[in-house]
Amino acid sequence: MSGTTATNTIDRSDKPGHIGIILFVAALLVGAAIALGFLANEWAQPLILGLLALLSVVGVFGLFAFAIGLVQFSGRAARNDLTKAVVDGADDGIVVTESENEIVYANEAYLALAGATGANDLKPVGRLLTGRADVSEAIYRLATAAREHRRLVEEVRLEPALNGRSEVGWYRVRVSPVRRETSTATLWSVADITPDRERQENAFQELQHAIDYLDHAPAGFISIDADGEISYLNATLSGWLDFDLARFGSGGLHLDDVCTPSAAALLQAIRGQPGDVRVEVLDVDLKRRNGAPLPVRLHHQVAFGQDGRAGPSRTLVLNRTAGEAGSDGGSDAEVRFARFFHSTPMAIATIDETGAILHSNAAFARLIPAGLRPQTIHDLVASGAGLDAALAEVVAGRSGGAPLDLALAGEDGRSAKLYLTPVAGTEGGDGERAIVYALETTAERKLRDNMDQAGKMQAVGQLAGGIAHDFNNVLQVIINASEFLLASHRPTDPSFPDIMQIKQNAYRAAALVRQLLAFSRRQTLRPQVLELGEVLSDLSLMLKRVVADKVTLDVRQGRDLWPVKADLGQLEQVIVNLAVNARDAMPDGGKLAVRTRNVTREDCASFGQDALPADDYVLLEVEDSGTGIPQEYLDKIFEPFFTTKEVGKGTGLGLSMVYGIVKQTGGYVFVDSTIGKGTNFRIFLPRHVPSQEDIAAEAAAKEAPKKLAADHTGAGVILLVEDEDAVRALNARMLVSRGYTVHEAASGVEALDLFLQNDGKIDLVVSDVVMPEMDGPTLLGELRKRNPDTKVVFVSGYAEEAFRKNLPEGEEFHFLPKPFTMKQLVETVKAAMG
């Protein structure tokens, strides 16, 4: 059954019935009841039974009529009538379908869109909207959503429009499920949005025209955000600068790409209060793509938000190049002055009598620390020592006198030299009373400080080296004299322990001298195979004294540590230095952890250090819970003279020496630090794998005590050269006591004379390195001229590398570092004589 409503809709959702049938049945029942009253009793019973049967049929029929909607309650019918009236009169076309596109309802708007006059020529939405491929794809997505009982919205473009209304039509199609008592239907809504799209296209065309007008205006236009990113650049300015606007598609341009450093500094230096709108007129140079300058005048407008942050600027650019399109016709002199004023490396500003800054150039803007908004010249400097007096002088019309070297405000330690000159009354119409010229002196001051520090450290190093040299000579006498005394005294003698104390303390003093030589970088390298665990065990007591009572020391040793080859004194110096730095980083106490363990070549990658080659190492970690090192300092802490401590509380050489010692040992050092949590230094020392020669030497050393004492006696002529009389006398006595013939010389010149007097018949020359008149290397050169086969042993407290560079390439000699024992001297002499 189908029907058309008064509003020309199609509704198949309900099955209509007829009330006349019910009235007819009721009339029959009433008539039957009246007729029964005139019949006899024998006929009444069958008729009554028949009537009851008829009523039963009517009751069943009534229930069936209610079930199919023939009979409804009046309240429900009212609600459905209201909903139906709203949907029937909706502006959008509405269709309800069941199963596969079976239309059960379509309102008047949909019939008009479809151009249908009745149910026979009505099409579902899927067959109504046909066209290009993108339309078919949209309809497919809608149909899929309908089958899956999902909501979906699509917009389609049809050529021509539905019902032939126009050449092009735009439609918004919605699909959503409708839950019914027995099944789920699908609600389709089709809205004609062609007028909205036409208005949007008109607005877009107007916008395109406006952009085209702006792009090809005779003036440039640019918009820059707070981060310096260029969000808009019109075609005129792009042509002046020779930039391709297509670059915006691949990341765009930055302020530094189109502005000279001076212009960028001026633009980024503009400050304002929250809610302010600042407009500045600036004569600056922009930068063409090839780097050539373009003189322009900027009308620069910046609006500041409520948080004080600058928003995107709106900047009008006028070309100041004479004869160019867009030139504002300014005088050539004005253009040249503006370019010179903003391009000069000297910061220039004008101030009034109170010191308020009135005008400034780009260099002055770069002088202002980041985040600072100085209103007066006093706000620019950290302390105004002498500034008030100089300002009063220039305001009074007198010269400002000597320049002022002042520290700038901020925490970056910058400084500048300020020159103040007065402005004549006729020139100061806008309140200008003085001109401030400023030159930043930060780099020069740091260089001067570093040179002063370097000079101081060089002087200290020379002093330390000189003291170490003299101490070595003194210690040499003490050690040699104590050995002679020990040789002539038995252990049971009362004075024997005292002599041993003298010798032991002389060796302790020799260790201090080695530290002085290490400070001056003239130490003698004595690498030896070490067990790092034993080194730390010996150092534990010293470390506890170093870190003080507030710091807890935690030493954890790894098991079965591999041996390493390093200088014991240098390695101890590294550990103590790191412990001292850790203690200073924990003024209120904390924990210092010193750990060791083996690291295999497979484990190296886990540390994330590209500079660490894959190999076997012994790892030494020194970790504290102190204040930490700022990230910007981590790349500088190993540089010489770099320190974060106060003046006079650090040399800045500690970590550089740690780095140098570790590198000399063939190891690597890395640091990790977190502010407020602490710092961890990791030192990787290469595992020492003994060679066959090392194994043989170790075996020989173990067997040495079982053999008879080595024969240290000898025969031959030795020329002993030493400028210290006491040292020379004791060394000569040692050698004579072992059977050698010794000629003594106090200088290189005297040694050369003795060599000539003996016709070169000298078996061995034992010479100090540092001597007056003629040093050891010079003496060796002279002796080689007279006898190329002369054998030489150099004796020095400095490292062998310190003087080897003064000798010819490939020169052979033996070396004995000071201070030395009698045994070391005679062993070296016997080995040199061969």
Side-chain angles (χ1 to χ4, degrees):
M1 296 175 61
S2 65
T4 303
T5 68
T7 56
N8 194 25
T9 63
I10 295 176
D11 189 352
R12 296 172 176 169
S13 59
D14 294 329
K15 305 300 182 181
H18 203 287
I19 194 63
I21 300 175
I22 301 299
L23 295 176
F24 176 74
V25 173
L28 286 179
L29 290 175
V30 172
I34 295 173
L36 287 175
F38 297 99
L39 295 177
N41 290 334
E42 60 272 13
W43 294 98
Q45 186 174 2
L47 291 175
I48 291 172
L49 291 175
L51 181 61
L52 290 176
L54 180 62
L55 291 175
S56 298
V57 172
V58 171
V60 172
F61 179 81
L63 291 176
F64 179 78
F66 178 80
I68 66 175
L70 179 62
V71 179
Q72 296 179 347
F73 292 105
S74 61
R76 179 179 175 185
R79 286 196 299 271
N80 288 342
D81 290 344
L82 177 61
T83 304
K84 190 172 186 304
V86 171
V87 177
D88 288 346
D91 294 332
D92 296 344
I94 296 176
V95 180
V96 179
T97 61
E98 289 183 345
S99 302
E100 291 293 333
N101 291 328
E102 179 186 352
I103 298 177
V104 297
Y105 175 81
N107 70 347
E108 185 176 0
Y110 185 79
L111 293 176
L113 287 174
T117 58
N120 295 329
D121 56 350
L122 184 64
K123 298 179 181 178
V125 177
R127 291 202 294 270
L128 179 64
L129 303 178
T130 58
R132 298 177 306 180
D134 55 344
V135 177
S136 300
E137 292 174 1
I139 296 302
Y140 174 78
R141 291 191 293 268
L142 289 167
T144 302
R147 286 194 300 271
E148 297 174 357
H149 305 301
R150 293 186 291 106
R151 296 178 181 271
L152 186 64
V153 179
E154 294 279 354
E155 291 187 1
V156 296
R157 182 178 185 271
L158 299 181
E159 296 181 4
L162 292 176
N163 205 13
R165 294 182 179 181
S166 59
E167 294 182 359
V168 178
W170 282 91
Y171 301 92
R172 183 181 293 116
V173 184
R174 289 186 175 90
V175 63
S176 58
V178 177
R179 309 295 178 183
R180 306 192 71 188
E181 295 178 357
T182 58
S183 63
T184 299
T186 302
L187 175 65
W188 296 76
S189 172
V190 182
D192 188 354
I193 59 173
T194 304
D196 296 337
R197 281 305 183 109
E198 289 176 349
R199 285 193 296 270
Q200 292 177 4
E201 290 183 358
N202 291 336
F204 181 74
Q205 290 293 334
E206 293 175 0
L207 180 61
Q208 285 292 100
H209 289 311
I211 293 175
D212 185 67
Y213 296 149
L214 184 60
D215 268 347
H216 298 91
F221 186 83
I222 187 172
S223 180
I224 307 165
D225 63 20
D227 297 325
E229 298 293 336
I230 297 176
S231 55
Y232 178 74
L233 180 74
N234 75 339
T236 300
L237 182 56
S238 175
W240 291 346
L241 299 176
D242 194 24
F243 278 103
D244 185 2
L245 289 178
R247 285 193 57 183
F248 285 98
S250 59
L253 295 171
H254 191 270
L255 180 63
D256 295 335
D257 296 326
V258 301
C259 288
T260 61
S262 298
L266 278 175
L267 294 177
Q268 293 177 328
I270 296 176
R271 302 287 186 267
Q273 299 298 325
D276 282 356
V277 178
R278 295 286 303 275
V279 178
E280 298 284 345
V281 179
L282 305 172
D283 289 304
V284 297
D285 281 355
L286 296 185
K287 183 172 58 177
R288 291 187 172 95
R289 188 165 61 89
N290 59 4
L294 173 70
V296 296
R297 169 167 288 179
L298 304 180
H299 293 263
H300 186 67
Q301 176 181 302
V302 183
F304 294 86
Q306 294 303 318
D307 58 354
R309 181 176 172 83
S313 72
R314 293 169 176 83
T315 306
L316 179 67
V317 184
L318 301 177
N319 196 333
R320 304 275 286 184
T321 305
E324 288 287 339
S327 173
D328 66 348
S331 67
D332 293 341
E334 184 183 359
V335 174
R336 286 196 299 270
F337 172 76
R339 297 180 69 186
F340 295 157
F341 180 66
H342 289 302
S343 299
T344 176
M346 175 171 282
I348 305 174
T350 58
I351 58 176
D352 62 12
E353 60 182 6
T354 65
I357 301 172
L358 303 178
H359 305 285
S360 61
N361 69 344
F364 194 88
R366 289 195 298 268
L367 203 63
I368 299 173
L372 186 66
R373 301 175 183 176
Q375 301 298 323
T376 68
I377 193 66
H378 299 86
D379 299 335
L380 182 64
V381 299
S383 60
L387 181 59
D388 292 334
L391 182 59
E393 288 286 324
V394 297
V395 168
R398 296 185 294 271
S399 174
L404 303 174
D405 201 349
L406 302 175
L408 298 178
E411 300 180 355
D412 49 3
R414 299 169 65 198
S415 62
K417 185 171 289 186
L418 272 60
Y419 301 80
L420 277 71
T421 59
V423 174
T426 56
E427 301 177 15
D430 57 352
E432 295 177 350
R433 298 301 300 274
I435 301 177
V436 179
Y437 301 93
L439 283 175
E440 185 171 359
T441 58
T442 306
E444 290 80 357
R445 182 176 55 81
K446 289 182 179 180
L447 179 60
R448 183 175 65 250
D449 292 344
N450 287 340
M451 291 181 65
D452 293 343
Q453 180 79 349
K456 181 183 74 173
M457 301 314 299
Q458 183 179 4
V460 172
Q462 291 176 348
L463 176 63
I467 292 174
H469 178 266
D470 293 337
F471 265 117
N472 272 330
N473 286 332
V474 174
L475 292 174
Q476 186 66 64
V477 175
I478 296 173
I479 292 174
N480 290 351
S482 62
E483 286 192 338
F484 274 116
L485 290 174
L486 289 173
S488 59
H489 287 70
R490 296 181 179 180
T492 56
D493 290 345
S495 59
F496 191 88
D498 296 331
I499 301 172
M500 284 296 299
Q501 282 289 338
I502 294 173
K503 182 179 179 181
Q504 290 173 0
N505 282 279
Y507 281 124
R508 289 185 58 190
L512 294 176
V513 171
R514 283 200 300 272
Q515 292 182 7
L516 284 175
L517 288 172
F519 181 80
S520 62
R521 300 301 178 93
R522 299 179 180 179
Q523 75 276 23
T524 301
L525 301 177
R526 295 192 179 103
Q528 56 182 304
V529 179
L530 300 173
E531 295 291 342
L532 196 55
E534 296 179 1
V535 174
L536 276 179
S537 299
D538 295 339
L539 272 180
S540 296
L541 186 59
M542 179 187 294
L543 291 178
K544 289 180 180 179
R545 291 198 298 266
V546 166
V547 300
D549 297 334
K550 294 183 179 179
V551 177
T552 302
L553 178 65
D554 181 18
V555 179
R556 297 186 182 182
Q557 301 275 18
R559 292 185 178 181
D560 303 324
L561 292 179
W562 295 322
V564 297
K565 192 169 186 179
D567 187 291
L568 176 60
Q570 288 182 331
L571 188 57
E572 290 177 346
Q573 183 179 359
V574 166
I575 299 173
V576 171
N577 190 290
L578 293 177
V580 170
N581 284 346
R583 177 201 63 193
D584 295 342
M586 297 181 288
D588 299 325
K591 180 180 178 181
L592 174 62
V594 182
R595 300 183 292 267
T596 58
R597 63 184 176 94
N598 293 331
V599 176
T600 63
R601 62 175 60 246
E602 292 79 11
D603 297 334
C604 290
S606 63
F607 293 95
Q609 299 291 345
D610 296 335
L612 181 66
D615 206 345
D616 293 337
Y617 299 95
V618 178
L619 173 62
L620 169 64
E621 290 184 279
V622 180
E623 184 176 10
D624 64 69
S625 60
T627 56
I629 303 173
Q631 190 68 29
E632 61 269 21
Y633 293 159
L634 287 180
D635 294 335
K636 303 178 181 179
I637 58 174
F638 294 120
E639 296 178 2
F641 310 120
F642 180 81
T643 179
T644 58
K645 298 179 181 178
E646 299 177 7
V647 176
K649 293 189 177 181
T651 63
L653 279 174
L655 290 178
S656 67
M657 295 177 68
V658 168
Y659 182 84
I661 291 172
V662 172
K663 283 297 183 181
Q664 289 173 4
T665 309
Y668 299 86
V669 56
F670 303 101
V671 58
D672 294 322
S673 185
T674 304
I675 296 297
K677 293 186 178 180
T679 304
N680 185 14
F681 283 88
R682 292 188 178 95
I683 297 175
F684 296 84
L685 299 176
R687 176 186 182 181
H688 174 68
V689 180
S691 61
Q692 294 297 329
E693 293 78 6
D694 295 335
I695 296 175
E698 184 178 356
K702 291 181 179 179
E703 296 177 1
K706 301 178 183 179
K707 298 180 180 179
L708 298 175
D711 182 14
H712 291 157
T713 61
V717 180
I718 297 177
L719 176 58
L720 181 61
V721 189
E722 173 63 59
D723 59 328
E724 287 285 339
D725 295 338
V727 176
R728 185 177 67 253
L730 284 173
N731 289 343
R733 182 179 172 188
M734 285 185 191
L735 294 173
V736 170
S737 66
R738 292 299 184 266
Y740 296 101
T741 301
V742 179
H743 297 288
E744 300 180 38
S747 68
V749 176
E750 185 179 345
L752 191 58
D753 292 339
L754 286 173
F755 189 85
L756 295 175
Q757 290 175 12
N758 287 272
D759 297 328
K761 296 179 180 179
I762 300 295
D763 298 315
L764 180 66
V765 177
V766 180
S767 174
D768 195 7
V769 174
V770 180
M771 296 182 297
E773 299 185 35
M774 182 183 294
D775 60 9
T778 305
L779 173 62
L780 177 60
E782 295 296 329
L783 294 178
R784 287 279 195 251
K785 294 177 183 179
R786 292 159 178 81
N787 184 1
D789 298 328
T790 301
K791 299 177 181 179
V792 175
V793 173
F794 279 126
V795 177
S796 178
Y798 296 149
E800 179 180 340
E801 291 78 7
F803 62 87
R804 179 180 283 276
K805 59 185 179 182
N806 297 327
L807 296 173
E809 185 69 26
E811 190 70 59
E812 294 184 0
F813 60 89
H814 288 73
F815 178 71
L816 181 62
K818 288 183 179 180
F820 50 82
T821 63
M822 183 190 305
K823 179 181 178 183
Q824 290 172 336
L825 174 62
V826 295
E827 285 179 345
T828 303
V829 167
K830 193 160 188 175
M833 295 184 69

